């Protein structure tokens, strides 16, 4: 079987890759050399545009377009902020990347900053990743010592300072404008857009906020050219993507896949997830982190028109929200037949209730209400009208909030009801049906094949 | 001059105005309701989502419809923009949803709330809400707190509009209160139980759309609709001294700032005028206030529609219904 192209993880298993010497011997920092000595900033941006790279944080927006939007007024500093506040449930790819190969992120930050004309860049990392903060600080120090950061890098007259900032454990600070507020030392409330960060971001200056994985892909693009990167993946989803596979599979972990890989192959192939644990039947998949719609087996393996579904932005969203989902941040949560969708949804709802910032009313009040209704159903006191009520609440949150957290809270509820309504009804009609899932109280037994 | 169409009406506006400002320049039914927006303060609005409208066409240059409803208080009007407010069932439905959200954790203690009668949430609930609630769980509860000796914070009633935070930030020196915690347990709180203590702190009472921040010198003294508003002024060293006195008989029960059509303060007043000058001799009386604002009580909203029709025959002056203190209901009660 053909192994997919590895771009980010090419050298991930080299011992000592977290140190600058080994990283350099594996070809590290060559892109900085190339960009600073032989390319103009516009050429780098152009390469990123032709590469078709899309934001890996969840929204999947074209990175090149985003960079192009960056306002460039005279005499005003610009900023690049790396969003390492990876908090989406089911997503742990950035953590792996930063832990194993921190210099890749730093290299990406330097090249991207150069392309955007930025002299001060920030990495905003979540508070729970404190150990990664230490790893990255160490790597930044090494990069400063080796002359990749600081004043007059490679005698090119280009200066760059890179700073780390640690969050304090709020999911909402992964939303780019809340992240900027938090970085400025304020309460992490999302800002009202417009203006977008490209016009008025950090300290009111033009700012680009990119995900860790997006920035880590830039060195390869610069070194090998945008067209070469675009030759991987599909036409609309170029390159590779890190997928955090978790749930009831034999081999959970972080996989780098070439976009366009069939979902079925990803779940069942031994190179990837290795099939469902204990030979169980697949029930449902949340394909891109807890926010995206959940899909039942028949819709995740095939598109509504019977084509095999692929791991790509366009294929996963085929069928709209009625029958599709999103690639999101690549948090691939697999559920087997022993999973209770309602219990799972309750967990998600509890999460969004806990993490809502409380700024705008639909999300602040609606997320708590949905959680309470789900709790009531699981307690055996639900009524059939509660399902319609849940549906109505989610429809009144979706699209009516300041930031995407409202949508993220609404979509899992909507999709669970859309695809698994009979399960809700079964619980309500016969509360004892919940007992079937008493194994939820047992401690999880992890399959031996899982490493 | 650029032109925007709201509910089929063409309105000329100045560049830089929001949809809401353009709508207010025309007035009438096409103005979206607001809870958190405050034209006298900077950077307010966008939080409560009651003013959401549907944009059918963004501008002349870009005549596409926007996929999601937008907050009219924060979205700039553009030439050729087509907006639907009252005429869009989708907007009305979404707005009813927002009202429901705002009310699920609200204690609905209007009978003992000092704000009743001039409460924006009452107006909103009546005009845009539904008859019933579908919420059946325990409402969130907070302890009542004093912030300073003159202001009571009743957090249960708060809708987190952030107006008082912005007021403190923009008109006083050194804000000592803000929003703590997050989600539906977020609360207005002072910095480690610090009292709000400066000359203009009382204005947070006026900007509060609900009864979360109330004047302790007026608490439980009277219902607002039994008091008569009178405009008055005095020579004040700290503020403009232009206020509204609320009389019950010969006594001044309360002093507030003057408010405009949308219930927004016209001029900020100082705490001395607000809390300490409660004798008629201390003021130069200008005359009864013209209150255009239609509060729930003054406009007889509490009556069932059929009763309202009967009563309207009794009203000789058709404008009387819009005058607080001169509506048939308050006449009867006097």
């Amino acid at each position: 079987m053909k192994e997919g192209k590895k771009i980010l993880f090419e050298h991930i298993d080299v011992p000592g890759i977290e140190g600058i010497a080994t990283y350099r011997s594996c070809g590290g920092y060559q892109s900085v050399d190339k960009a600073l000595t032989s390319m103009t900033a516009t050429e780098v941006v152009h390469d990123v545009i032709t590469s078709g790279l899309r934001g890996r944080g969840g929204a999947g927006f074209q990175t090149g377009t985003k960079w192009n939007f960056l306002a460039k007024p005279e005499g005003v500093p610009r900023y690049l902020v790396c969003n390492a506040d990876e908090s989406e449930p089911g997503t742990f790819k950035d953590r792996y990347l930063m832990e194993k190969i921190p210099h890749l992120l730093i290299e990406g930050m330097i090249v991207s900053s150069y392309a955007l004309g930025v002299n001060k860049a920030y990495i905003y990392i979540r508070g729970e990743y404190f150990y990664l903060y230490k790893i990255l600080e160490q790597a930044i120090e090494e990069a400063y010592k080796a002359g990749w950061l600081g004043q007059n890098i490679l005698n090119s007259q280009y200066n760059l300072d890179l700073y780390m900032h640690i969050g304090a454990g709020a999911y909402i600070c992964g939303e780019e404008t809340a992240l900027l507020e938090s970085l400025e030392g304020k309460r992490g409330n999302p800002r009202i857009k417009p203006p977008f960060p490209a016009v008025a971001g950090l300290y009111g200056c033009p700012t680009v906020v990119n995900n860790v994985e997006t920035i880590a892909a830039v060195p390869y693009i610069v070194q090998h050219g945008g067209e070469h990167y675009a030759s991987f993946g599909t036409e609309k989803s170029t390159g590779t993507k890190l997928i955090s596979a978790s749930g009831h599979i034999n081999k959970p972990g972080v996989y780098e896949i070439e976009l366009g890989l069939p979902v079925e192959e990803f779940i069942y192939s031994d190179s990837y997830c290795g099939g469902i644990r204990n030979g169980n039947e697949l029930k449902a998949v949340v394909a891109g982190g807890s926010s995206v719609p959940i899909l039942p087996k028949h819709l995740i393996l095939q598109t509504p028109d019977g084509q095999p579904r692929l791991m790509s932005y366009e294929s996963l969203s085929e069928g709209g929200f009625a029958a599709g989902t999103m690639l999101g941040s690549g948090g691939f949560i697999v559920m087997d037949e022993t999973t209770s969708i309602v219990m799972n949804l309750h967990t998600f709802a509890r999460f969004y209730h806990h993490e809502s910032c409380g700024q705008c009313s639909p999300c602040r009040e609606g997320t708590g209400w949905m959680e309470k209704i789900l709790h009531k159903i699981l307690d055996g006191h639900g009524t059939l009208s509660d399902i319609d009520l849940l549906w109505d609440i989610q429809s009144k949150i979706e699209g009516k909030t300041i930031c995407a957290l409202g949508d993220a809270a609404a979509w899992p509820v909507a999709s669970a009801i859309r695809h698994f309504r009979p399960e809700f009804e079964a619980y309500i009609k016969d509360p004892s049906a919940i007992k079937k899932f008493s194994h939820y109280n047992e401690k999880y037994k992890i399959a031996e094949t899982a490493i | 001059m650029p032109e925007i169409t709201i509910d089929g009406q063409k309105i000329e506006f100045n560049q830089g105005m929001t949809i809401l400002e353009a709508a207010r320049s025309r007035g009438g039914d096409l103005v979206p309701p607001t809870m958190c927006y405050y034209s006298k303060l900077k950077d307010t609005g966008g939080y409560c989502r009651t003013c959401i409208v549907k944009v059918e066409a963004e501008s002349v240059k870009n005549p596409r419809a926007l996929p999601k409803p937008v907050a009219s208080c924060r979205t700039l009007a553009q030439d050729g923009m087509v907006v639907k407010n009252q005429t869009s069932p989708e907007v009305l439905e979404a707005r009813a949803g927002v009202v429901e959200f705002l009310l699920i954790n609200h204690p609905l203690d209007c009978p003992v709330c000092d704000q009743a009668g001039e409460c924006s949430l009452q107006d909103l609930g009546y005009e845009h809400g539904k008859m019933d609630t579908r919420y059946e769980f325990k409402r969130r509860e907070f302890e009542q707190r004093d912030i300073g000796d003159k202001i009571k914070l009743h957090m249960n009633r708060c809708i987190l509009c952030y107006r008082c935070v912005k007021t403190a930030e923009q008109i006083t020196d050194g804000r000592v209160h803000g929003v703590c915690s997050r989600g539906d347990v977020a609360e207005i709180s002072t910095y480690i139980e610090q009292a709000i203590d400066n000359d203009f702190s009382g204005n947070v009472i006026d900007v509060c759309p609900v009864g979360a921040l109330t004047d302790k010198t007026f608490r439980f003294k009277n219902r607002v609709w039994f008091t008569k508003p009178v405009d008055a002024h005095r020579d004040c060293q700290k503020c403009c001294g232009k206020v509204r006195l609320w009389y019950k008989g010969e006594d001044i029960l309360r002093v507030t700032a003057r408010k405009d059509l949308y219930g927004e303060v016209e001029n900020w007043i100082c705490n001395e005028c607000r809390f300490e000058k409660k004798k008629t001799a201390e003021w130069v009386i200008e005359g009864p206030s013209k209150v255009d604002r239609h509060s729930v009580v003054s406009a007889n909203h509490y009556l069932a529609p059929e009763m309202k029709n009967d009563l309207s025959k009794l009203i000789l002056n058709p404008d009387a219904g819009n005058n607080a203190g001169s509506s048939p209901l308050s006449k009867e009660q006097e």
Side-chain angles (χ1 to χ4, degrees):
Chain A
M1 206 202 69
K2 176 175 94 70
E3 274 281 312
K5 173 74 185 170
K6 299 278 181 276
I7 289 175
L8 305 171
F9 283 180
E10 196 180 348
H11 304 296
I12 199 123
D13 293 327
V14 178
I17 192 75
E18 67 276 5
I20 195 161
T22 317
Y23 182 70
R24 189 86 179 92
S25 68
C26 291
Y29 288 106
Q30 278 180 9
S31 69
V32 179
D33 205 352
K34 183 180 175 191
L36 264 58
T37 53
S38 68
M39 289 171 85
T40 65
T42 331
E43 280 167 356
V44 179
V45 175
H46 185 257
D47 259 351
V48 173
I49 293 174
T50 47
S51 74
L53 177 66
R54 294 174 69 163
R56 303 297 196 218
F61 193 76
Q62 294 281 345
T63 306
T65 315
K66 193 176 194 172
W67 286 14
N68 236 358
F69 280 154
L70 185 71
K72 295 186 171 122
E74 280 295 309
V76 177
R78 296 186 284 270
Y79 295 104
L80 171 67
V81 180
C82 171
N83 185 346
D85 192 82
E86 182 180 49
S87 352
E88 181 82 2
T91 311
F92 40 87
K93 64 188 174 66
D94 296 344
R95 162 184 168 168
Y96 190 68
L97 187 101
M98 290 186 285
E99 186 181 338
K100 291 280 180 182
I101 185 160
H103 281 286
L104 182 61
L105 174 61
I106 293 162
E107 182 179 354
M109 287 297 281
I110 301 167
V111 184
S112 309
S113 299
Y114 174 72
L116 297 165
V118 165
N119 300 110
K120 278 197 172 61
Y122 296 86
I123 298 173
Y124 184 99
I125 193 162
R126 65 184 296 207
E128 291 86 340
Y129 283 176
F130 190 74
Y131 72 106
L132 291 181
Y133 165 77
K134 289 195 258 183
I135 291 172
L136 280 165
E137 277 283 284
Q138 167 84 26
I140 288 172
E141 205 184 306
E142 285 175 351
Y144 265 107
K145 273 193 191 142
W148 298 108
L149 283 169
Q151 303 294 306
N152 198 12
I153 302 165
L154 301 177
N155 292 320
S156 65
Q157 307 294 318
Y158 177 66
N159 311 324
L160 176 66
D161 284 312
L162 182 57
Y163 301 100
M164 299 279 300
H165 183 91
I166 312 176
Y171 172 69
I172 192 63
C173 289
E175 199 275 346
E176 60 176 4
T177 54
L179 185 151
L180 295 176
E181 286 280 298
S182 173
L183 194 50
E184 288 178 11
K186 299 177 190 155
R187 180 184 162 86
N189 276 358
R191 293 177 185 167
I192 291 155
K193 287 157 272 184
F196 289 92
V199 178
L202 189 62
Y203 306 117
C205 301
T207 305
V208 166
V209 184
N210 278 141
N211 180 258
V212 171
E213 192 190 341
T214 317
I215 288 173
V218 174
Y220 185 90
I221 293 168
V222 169
Q223 215 173 329
H224 301 272
E227 278 164 24
H228 179 71
Y229 185 85
S231 68
F232 304 109
T234 67
E235 193 191 334
K236 284 183 182 158
S237 310
T238 55
T240 63
K241 171 96 187 79
L242 302 184
I243 303 290
S244 326
S246 65
H248 303 151
I249 44 179
N250 284 323
K251 289 166 61 191
V254 181
Y255 295 97
E256 179 168 16
I257 60 154
E258 202 177 321
L259 286 163
L261 181 82
V263 174
E264 191 162 5
E265 185 183 333
F266 182 68
I267 297 176
Y268 292 103
S269 156
D270 277 340
S271 318
Y272 301 105
C273 301
I276 311 295
R277 65 165 187 190
N278 306 335
N280 285 356
E281 189 67 20
L282 174 65
K283 181 172 186 179
V285 171
V286 177
S290 63
S291 307
V292 309
I294 189 171
L295 283 187
K297 182 184 177 184
H298 66 278
L299 282 172
I300 189 68
L301 298 181
Q302 285 192 332
T303 59
D305 48 9
Q307 300 296 313
R309 205 178 285 269
L310 311 175
M311 301 285 280
S312 69
Y313 292 96
E314 67 277 12
S315 176
L316 281 170
S317 60
E318 210 167 292
F321 272 6
T325 179
M326 288 162 75
L327 181 60
S329 60
F332 197 84
I333 309 170
V334 181
M335 299 171 194
D336 72 6
E337 59 193 295
T338 64
T339 314
S340 160
I341 297 297
V342 185
M343 278 192 200
N344 171 64
L345 181 63
H346 178 242
T347 308
F348 284 171
R350 198 175 62 208
F351 174 79
Y352 290 110
H353 173 208
H354 186 253
E355 296 296 343
S356 166
C357 80
Q359 196 176 206
C360 56
S361 24
C363 172
R364 176 182 69 231
E365 309 292 352
T367 48
W369 194 0
M370 293 196 298
E371 190 213 327
K372 286 181 181 126
I373 294 172
L374 285 161
H375 192 267
K376 181 184 152 197
I377 293 175
L378 288 174
D379 260 2
H381 303 295
T383 57
L384 287 173
S385 64
D386 282 337
I387 306 173
D388 297 327
L389 181 57
L390 271 178
W391 182 269
D392 195 51
I393 297 171
Q394 70 78 21
S395 74
K396 281 177 171 146
I397 299 175
E398 191 207 343
K400 314 217 169 32
T401 52
I402 294 172
C403 75
L405 195 143
D407 299 342
W411 292 339
V413 176
S415 56
I417 296 177
R418 188 182 288 124
H419 301 300
F420 296 96
R421 195 180 179 109
E423 202 168 308
F424 287 80
E425 288 169 357
Y427 279 157
I428 290 166
K429 286 180 186 154
D430 176 19
S432 67
I434 298 164
K435 284 189 191 139
K436 200 175 114 196
F437 297 97
S438 56
H439 62 275
Y440 267 59
N441 298 325
E442 286 171 25
K443 214 174 172 186
Y444 275 113
K445 293 187 187 96
I446 299 168
E448 277 177 22
T449 41
I451 304 152
Chain B
M1 221 174 168
E3 211 175 49
I4 178 173
T5 310
I6 304 177
D7 283 350
Q9 293 197 42
K10 285 192 187 329
I11 301 168
E12 288 187 343
F13 66 93
N14 297 323
Q15 210 61 258
M17 276 171 122
T18 60
I19 298 173
L20 181 71
E21 282 163 351
R24 281 189 175 185
S25 72
R26 170 65 55 91
D29 279 350
L30 56 80
V31 183
T34 55
M35 292 299 287
C36 64
Y37 170 79
Y38 212 72
S39 62
K40 311 298 189 297
L41 296 168
K42 279 179 280 180
D43 296 330
T44 54
Y47 305 135
C48 69
R49 316 311 278 181
T50 48
C51 70
I52 49 173
V53 292
K54 180 137 187 60
V55 176
E56 298 260 285
E58 205 183 349
S59 64
V60 174
K61 267 190 253 166
N62 191 4
R64 70 188 173 115
L66 295 182
K68 295 174 181 179
V70 300
S72 60
C73 62
R74 285 282 195 153
T75 310
L76 288 181
Q78 295 186 51
D79 192 20
M81 193 179 238
V82 181
V83 172
K84 276 192 163 182
N85 173 33
Q86 291 267 318
T87 46
S88 160
E90 193 187 325
V91 167
L92 295 181
E93 183 64 21
R95 194 170 286 153
V98 173
V99 177
E100 189 173 25
F101 287 136
L102 286 175
L103 288 172
I104 60 170
N105 274 313
H106 190 81
L108 296 173
D109 57 348
C110 307
V112 294
C113 176
D114 286 302
Q115 191 82 6
E118 52 178 25
C119 174
S120 305
L121 191 59
Q122 277 183 324
D123 293 357
L124 185 79
Y126 185 81
E127 284 161 20
H128 301 280
K130 299 207 162 134
M131 289 295 284
D132 253 328
T133 180
R134 296 174 292 177
Y135 189 73
E136 49 183 0
F137 304 97
K138 193 172 182 297
R139 286 158 200 260
R140 66 156 178 253
E141 279 174 9
F142 298 91
E143 291 280 308
Q144 286 185 34
R145 285 168 52 186
D146 290 328
I147 43 175
D149 59 340
K150 298 289 197 299
I151 307 172
K152 189 82 170 177
L153 170 63
H154 202 309
M155 191 57 215
N156 288 357
R157 297 172 184 155
C158 180
I159 58 159
L160 287 167
C161 68
Y162 282 69
R163 275 183 189 176
C164 60
V165 179
K166 308 256 170 168
T167 306
E169 201 157 75
Q170 291 171 27
I171 71 165
T172 66
D173 308 323
R175 163 168 73 91
V176 291
H177 82 287
V179 178
C180 294
S181 307
R182 69 179 178 224
D184 60 3
V185 291
E187 61 175 314
I188 301 291
S189 187
T190 51
Y191 181 62
I192 318 182
E193 296 280 321
Q194 202 168 352
I196 293 181
D197 181 25
N198 63 58
D199 287 340
F200 285 82
S201 64
N203 286 298
V204 298
I205 299 166
D206 278 343
V207 300
C208 184
V210 294
L213 292 164
T214 48
D215 180 346
K216 282 178 75 181
T217 65
F218 179 65
R219 256 170 92 79
F220 306 133
K221 288 272 173 66
N222 220 305
R223 309 306 322 205
V224 291
W225 57 89
F226 294 150
T227 58
K228 288 268 188 213
V230 171
D231 282 358
H233 65 265
R234 65 180 274 270
D235 211 8
C236 180
Q237 301 296 317
K238 292 174 187 159
C239 68
C240 65
K242 291 177 185 168
V243 301
R244 187 159 288 164
L245 307 174
W246 298 77
Y247 274 97
K248 172 76 177 175
E250 298 293 307
D251 301 328
I252 300 173
L253 292 189
R254 172 171 81 135
V255 183
T256 68
R258 295 181 194 175
K259 292 186 178 181
D260 66 9
L261 173 65
Y262 297 104
E264 294 177 5
V265 168
E266 284 171 358
N267 294 103
W268 308 109
I269 62 167
C270 68
N271 284 3
E272 193 185 338
C273 290
R274 182 186 302 274
F275 298 125
E276 280 152 33
K277 303 290 173 193
K278 299 221 172 163
K279 293 198 184 86
T280 307
E282 288 166 320
W283 295 99
V284 180
I285 306 293
E286 293 172 16
S289 308
K290 287 194 181 68
V291 184
D292 298 319
R293 192 167 164 248
H294 56 165
S295 85
V296 171
V297 173
S298 64
N300 284 326
H301 279 162
Y302 281 155
L303 302 179
E306 59 272 21
M307 278 177 80
K308 219 162 37 174
N309 288 339
D310 292 343
L311 269 175
S312 63
K313 289 173 201 154
L314 299 173
I315 301 172
L316 298 172
N317 178 2
D319 292 330
N322 288 333
N323 277 324
S326 62
S327 71
L329 187 65
S330 54
K331 268 179 190 153
E332 274 166 32
Q333 285 158 336
E334 278 167 11

